[in-house]
Amino acid sequence: MEQITAGFGTMKTLDAIPNKQVQTSDVSKAWPELDDTFEMNEFYRSFSSAEGWLGDSYIIVWNRKEIADFRIHINEAYPEKYHFFGSDGGGTQFGFFVDNGVVSYVSAPNIGAEEDIRVLGGWDEMILCLEKCDYI
């Protein structure tokens, strides 16, 4: 299986999120098709979940069980290519998709369809959108 390189590879921006739950068990990558530098694989190596304010936005990074549970429901609205990992605690969820080896982060309403998804860009662009509450 080919691994896809995601980019940037640091969780510095999420370091500011309070209430991170430290990962207490040895875990495999959350998304094995992506390499070790993929931002969310890095996150889940150290933490199981997190939530708090990131600039003007509230962000919740779900634990792996929540991601799996949510996946069942999200496939009814969005194609499988979208992988959601968190929300703003309101009506928006955050995720990503991979196209031609490039990871793009997205926001989407909890209730919606594929045409409602907003592509935020790469990791740095997504973080900027979150900090400015510019993701809806």
Side-chain angles (χ1 to χ4, degrees):
M1 177 182 296
E2 176 188 357
Q3 285 197 335
I4 299 167
T5 303
F8 308 113
T10 66
M11 294 303 297
K12 289 181 184 175
T13 308
L14 287 182
D15 285 345
I17 293 177
N19 303 317
K20 287 187 293 291
Q21 301 300 310
V22 174
Q23 186 61 264
T24 57
S25 62
D26 186 27
V27 296
S28 60
K29 292 187 250 182
W31 289 277
E33 68 276 16
L34 297 169
D35 72 8
D36 288 338
T37 64
F38 172 56
E39 296 86 6
M40 297 314 297
N41 279 340
E42 283 191 33
F43 178 85
Y44 287 108
R45 267 197 309 276
S46 300
F47 306 105
S48 61
S49 64
E51 72 177 275
W53 290 98
L54 182 61
D56 292 335
S57 299
Y58 196 81
I59 182 171
I60 300 168
V61 181
W62 302 325
N63 65 44
R64 288 177 182 230
K65 182 177 180 335
E66 291 168 319
I67 290 171
D69 290 348
F70 190 73
R71 183 97 187 135
I72 295 166
H73 303 291
I74 200 61
N75 284 342
E76 296 172 14
Y78 302 109
E80 277 190 40
K81 74 177 188 175
Y82 296 102
H83 306 277
F84 293 97
F85 58 82
S87 75
D88 65 356
T92 302
Q93 59 205 4
F94 304 109
F96 68 92
F97 69 96
V98 180
D99 185 30
N100 291 323
V102 176
V103 174
S104 295
Y105 289 89
V106 299
S107 63
N110 289 345
I111 300 172
E114 187 171 19
E115 59 269 9
D116 299 320
I117 290 176
R118 178 175 173 202
V119 177
L120 304 174
W123 179 254
D124 288 344
E125 291 86 4
M126 180 195 70
I127 295 301
L128 287 173
C129 287
L130 289 174
E131 287 175 341
K132 296 177 181 178
C133 202
D134 180 26
Y135 54 83
I136 300 173

